[in-house]
Amino acid sequence: MCKPEAITVIQCDYKVTDVSNYEVGEPIQRVIKGGGGTDLRKITTTIGQQDTPPVILIVLSDGETPYDTTPPEYPTIWCLTADVVPP
């Protein structure tokens, strides 16, 4: 069972377009911002600037993006919409 205390939603294409934080019970209402030219390295850079690392990172992507050369130090779940396998 997963009962997060908070969720951070990071939207990213070639740059981070939005970072929103949500507390328990707060509805997540998203307006998609950006699109195209994805660079997921921007997400890990943004995460590195946070006070604490995430417990887990869940990535929703077509997978067509450059990747960091070093994997993150936190678990990552990839939800892909295309037949691309991340490293």
Side-chain angles (χ1 to χ4, degrees):
M1 183 182 302
C2 179
K3 292 187 176 185
E5 294 177 11
I7 294 174
T8 299
V9 176
I10 302 172
Q11 294 189 53
C12 180
D13 48 27
Y14 68 93
K15 65 178 183 175
V16 171
T17 57
D18 187 65
V19 178
S20 298
N21 297 300
Y22 298 91
E23 300 298 323
V24 173
E26 186 178 355
I28 298 175
Q29 298 178 357
R30 300 293 335 129
V31 173
I32 304 297
K33 298 178 180 179
T38 305
D39 186 346
L40 290 176
R41 297 173 297 183
K42 306 293 183 174
I43 291 176
T44 54
T45 298
T46 300
I47 290 170
Q49 296 168 347
Q50 304 297 313
D51 292 336
T52 57
V55 173
I56 191 167
L57 171 64
I58 301 172
V59 178
L60 308 175
S61 174
D62 62 8
E64 295 186 23
T65 177
Y67 299 92
D68 289 316
T69 55
T70 304
E73 295 182 6
Y74 37 82
T76 303
I77 295 175
W78 289 88
C79 302
L80 300 175
T81 61
D83 295 329
V84 177
V85 179

